Amino acid sequence: MAAFGSVFLPKMAMTTFENNQWSKAELVSAESIQLHPGAHVLHYSSTCFEGLKAFRHADGSIHVFRMDQNINRFAQSSELLALPAIDKEQVSQMILDSVAAFASDVPEPPGSLYIRPTHIGTEAAIGKAAAPSIASMLYILLSPVGDYFTGGVKALRLLLEENGMRCAPHMGMIKSGGNYASALGPTMKAKAEVQADQILFCPNGDVQETGAANFLLIDGNEIITKALDSSFLHGVTRSSVLTLAADLGMTVTERDITVTELLERAAKPGVEAALSGTAAVLTSVGTFIHNGEDIKVGSGEPGPVVEKLRKALNDIQWGNAPDTHNWLTKIA
């Protein structure tokens, strides 16, 4: 298939907020957006989005994974950006209706249908640098995707960055484009200079997240990750993996972890590390780059525990294992 997220279905569900109310949602052309050049989003980044997936099961049925959690986070992001409050029930129906309309386009495993709800401020008012947009647009973009790892799963190289942050601390839990943009420059520099795949931001030695994924450390039967706070994104995949780890009898520890502790644990045989996110699911980390030195994580190769957790999650998504947590919403 084409590069992940580069192919889009021809229509999308859309609604607009004007005069203090949301319009009736419609299925419109995916190329139908018109914006005034003074739109608030183009100048003051009043935008947030979500990423979730629909999966085809062996019986042909289509199921959306953890839609409620993504919609709750979407609502939270909109509120924290002072965008008009979304109607959760309307957004849920927009997702279900748009996926149902293109059910035949949902790929077979290991592919899926990537769903991108997006909310942008549309008021034409360039004098509102310190005031919110009173008008907005919300749409649901659909993209059939294949396996994120077209060349096979490889252990990633992460540069440990102790001086910079992914974004402003009060913006971390918002899924907004500006946060990704702020991490792009340092990440490109790290790729060019030390051949890193990503930067693991560790301001003042506090291990947080990369530019686009949460971080997990696995030491024996324990899985360790930073406790939720406002400085980083509360990943739905992160939450799912931790739940499945507990189901498998692992000890789940959510707490702060320092770079010093991270490197000490990485030197132990059998230790694994991983990044979690909707697109990549769960990806092994094989090397940390710290103070110009490459430091292997355990064996330096993709680890068996990461693979076990990834498979456990995929099996639920694809209908190969019972959905005991009621994470799937079936498309009627």
Side-chain angles (χ1 to χ4, degrees):
M1 296 184 70
F4 191 99
S6 64
V7 173
F8 301 96
L9 294 179
K11 291 189 177 183
M12 63 183 185
M14 187 174 77
T15 179
T16 56
F17 186 86
E18 295 176 331
N19 301 319
N20 293 314
Q21 62 181 359
W22 287 102
S23 67
K24 181 181 177 180
E26 295 181 284
L27 204 60
V28 301
S29 167
E31 299 182 1
S32 65
I33 287 182
Q34 288 186 318
L35 283 178
H36 189 283
H40 198 273
V41 62
L42 301 178
H43 300 268
Y44 306 119
S45 298
S46 51
T47 172
C48 59
F49 62 92
E50 273 303 321
L52 62 161
K53 288 177 177 177
F55 298 87
R56 181 179 298 280
H57 288 189
D59 63 2
S61 61
I62 308 300
H63 302 255
V64 181
F65 184 72
R66 303 207 74 177
M67 180 174 68
D68 57 336
Q69 294 300 303
N70 286 96
I71 291 175
N72 286 340
R73 190 172 65 181
F74 196 36
Q76 176 181 269
S77 293
S78 296
E79 178 184 357
L80 293 174
L81 288 173
L83 281 163
I86 71 168
D87 181 333
K88 293 183 183 180
E89 290 187 10
Q90 181 186 41
V91 174
S92 174
Q93 198 61 51
M94 289 169 69
I95 291 172
L96 296 176
D97 289 346
S98 55
V99 173
F102 292 97
S104 62
D105 292 286
V106 179
E108 298 282 348
S112 59
L113 183 66
Y114 193 88
I115 305 165
R116 174 55 62 92
T118 305
H119 190 190
I120 61 175
T122 55
E123 182 185 4
I126 58 174
K128 279 196 160 186
S133 174
I134 61 171
S136 68
M137 177 187 298
L138 193 160
Y139 56 87
I140 313 294
L141 201 59
L142 304 177
S143 176
V145 296
D147 191 338
Y148 194 74
F149 300 101
T150 54
V153 178
K154 298 178 181 178
L156 302 177
R157 291 169 52 83
L158 298 188
L159 172 65
L160 305 185
E161 174 55 74
E162 297 184 68
N163 296 316
M165 298 186 70
R166 174 179 181 254
C167 62
H170 69 283
M171 290 289 289
M173 63 194 293
I174 304 173
K175 195 167 178 69
S176 181
N179 290 350
Y180 293 80
S182 69
L184 187 57
T187 302
M188 291 176 66
K189 182 179 179 183
K191 287 182 178 182
E193 294 183 353
V194 294
Q195 293 73 57
D197 295 296
Q198 286 283 343
I199 290 177
L200 179 57
F201 291 97
C202 311
N204 300 314
D206 178 37
V207 177
Q208 296 187 348
E209 62 182 336
T210 70
N214 292 136
F215 176 78
L216 306 166
L217 181 67
I218 300 166
D219 189 349
N221 198 49
E222 184 180 19
I223 184 167
I224 308 167
T225 188
K226 184 174 174 62
L228 296 179
D229 63 28
S230 64
S231 70
F232 72 105
L233 192 66
H234 301 179
V236 176
T237 303
R238 169 193 179 278
S239 169
S240 305
V241 168
L242 295 183
T243 298
L244 293 177
D247 289 349
L248 293 169
M250 296 183 69
T251 299
V252 175
T253 303
E254 296 183 72
R255 63 169 174 83
D256 289 347
I257 182 169
T258 64
V259 168
T260 300
E261 180 184 357
L262 182 65
L263 295 178
E264 288 175 352
R265 288 181 181 265
K268 297 167 61 177
V271 167
E272 299 176 41
L275 300 183
S276 67
T278 300
V281 187
L282 197 62
T283 313
S284 286
V285 174
T287 305
F288 294 135
I289 306 164
H290 185 250
N291 292 337
E293 180 184 357
D294 281 10
I295 301 168
K296 280 187 177 181
V297 181
S299 69
E301 300 298 325
V305 180
V306 170
E307 177 55 32
K308 180 170 67 173
L309 289 169
R310 177 184 171 90
K311 184 177 185 301
L313 182 56
N314 282 155
D315 281 348
I316 294 172
Q317 292 171 330
W318 292 327
N320 298 325
D323 177 24
T324 57
H325 297 286
N326 297 314
W327 285 342
L328 299 174
T329 302
K330 186 176 181 179
I331 299 297

